């Protein structure tokens, strides 16, 4: 209106914007990666499109039917990319949901499968076998602990072998690879020290080793000559004998070994 009661008309243009929802144009292809190998993947630019060309899309990612990603996987929303380093415990398949949202909070999603493939890990020795003492003419059986070796690969079953110095076991020693046990009946001719290697093998042929010794000895008698000298009889085979002293309290002794002429051939001091 004007001051004299007239009408002053002006024109203006009123436009209404109808927002268009983003759409899935090219579904994301399923992805694979190996354990212990870095995974890097960027969402292709043509995966989602917005008919409103001026709209910028924001991206989020999570496990399907969840709000989070696996601990090992990181999503960079600014670059619409994934990065991660899966370990053996992460082997498996994951359904990943990626969502694109426009400024008006309208969105569209796509789901793809991410598979982490297993890479064989060799068995590991975690509880070494202790050296074994066996008395001659005494039968024995020794069971190896089931937790001597471990294999972190799910479902891997280990097989076992035993040998001595890259050869077969001594004739008197037997190994049960199913029960993982040793047994035998050594006699006096078998007195000695035997290095043993135990081998644990997985289904892919990877293996771990443990080495220990089996000591076959004979208990000898001690004949007291005077208050500080004893005589060993019978003479031990192969120059080996085991001396056990049960004093019942701490007691330090020095040992001297003489030959039949009275000469010292060994002593515990030197």
């Amino acid at each position: 209106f004007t001051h004299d009661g007239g009408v002053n008309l002006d024109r203006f243009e009123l436009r209404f914007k109808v927002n268009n929802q983003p759409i899935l144009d090219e579904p994301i292809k399923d992805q694979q990666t190996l354990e212990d190998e870095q995974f890097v993947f960027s969402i292709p630019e043509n995966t989602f499109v917005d008919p409103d060309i001026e709209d910028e899309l924001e991206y989020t990612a999570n496990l399907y039917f969840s709000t989070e990603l696996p601990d090992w996987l990181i999503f960079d929303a600014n670059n619409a990319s994934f990065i991660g380093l899966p370990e053996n415990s992460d082997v498996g398949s994951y359904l990943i949901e990626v969502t694109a949202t426009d400024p008006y909070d309208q969105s569209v999603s796509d789901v793809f499968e991410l598979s982490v493939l297993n890479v064989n890990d060799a068995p590991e020795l975690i509880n070494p076998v202790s050296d074994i003492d066996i008395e001659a003419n005494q039968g024995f059986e020794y069971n190896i602990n089931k937790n001597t070796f471990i294999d972190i690969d799910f479902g891997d079953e280990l097989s076992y072998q035993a040998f001595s110095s890259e050869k077969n076991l001594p004739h008197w020693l037997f190994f049960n690879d199913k029960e993982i046990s040793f047994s035998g009946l050594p006699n006096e001719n078998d007195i000695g020290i035997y290095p043993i290697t135990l081998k644990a093998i997985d289904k892919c042929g990877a293996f771990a080793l443990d080495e220990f010794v089996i000591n076959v000895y004979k208990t000898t008698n001690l004949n007291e000559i005077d208050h500080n000298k004893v005589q060993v009889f019978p003479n031990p085979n192969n120059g080996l004998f085991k001396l056990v002293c049960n004093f019942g309290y701490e007691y330090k002794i020095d040992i001297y070994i003489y030959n039949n002429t009275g000469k010292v051939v060994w002593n515990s001091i030197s």
Side-chain angles (χ1 to χ4, degrees), residues 22 35 49 92 107 145 178 192 239-240 246 265:
E35 68 162 280
V49 296
S107 63
N145 289 333
K178 305 301 182 185
L240 299 172
N246 297 314
V265 294

Side-chain angles (χ1 to χ4, degrees), residues 95-107:
L95 291 178
I96 306 296
E97 182 178 39
V98 179
T99 301
T101 306
D102 71 10
Y104 301 94
D105 207 30
Q106 289 191 305
S107 63

Side-chain angles (χ1 to χ4, degrees), residues 73-191:
L73 186 61
I74 298 172
F75 180 67
D76 182 349
N78 293 326
N79 296 312
S81 62
F82 295 90
I83 187 171
L85 183 64
E87 299 179 352
N88 184 80
S89 58
D90 302 314
V91 170
S93 295
Y94 303 84
L95 291 178
I96 306 296
E97 182 178 39
V98 179
T99 301
T101 306
D102 71 10
Y104 301 94
D105 207 30
Q106 289 191 305
S107 63
V108 63
S109 298
D110 188 25
V111 176
F112 70 97
E113 184 176 38
L114 171 57
S115 299
V116 179
L117 305 181
N118 182 68
V119 174
N120 187 62
D121 295 279
E124 297 179 51
L125 171 66
I126 59 171
N127 292 302
V129 179
S130 300
D131 293 343
I132 304 171
D133 290 330
I134 305 170
E135 186 170 1
N137 300 318
Q138 299 291 325
F140 87 100
E141 182 172 355
Y142 185 88
N143 295 309
I144 302 297
N145 289 333
K146 300 288 186 180
N147 64 348
T148 299
F149 299 94
I150 63 168
D151 192 314
I152 63 175
D153 291 320
F154 178 77
D156 253 6
E157 293 186 3
L158 300 179
S159 59
Y160 298 88
Q161 297 175 357
F163 49 88
S164 178
S165 301
E166 301 295 341
K167 298 179 181 179
N168 295 329
L169 294 174
H171 67 93
W172 55 268
L173 183 62
F174 301 93
F175 177 64
N176 185 327
D177 62 337
K178 305 301 182 185
E179 300 295 330
I180 325 176
S181 63
F182 292 90
S183 61
L185 179 60
N187 58 40
E188 294 182 15
N189 294 325
D190 302 315
I191 291 174

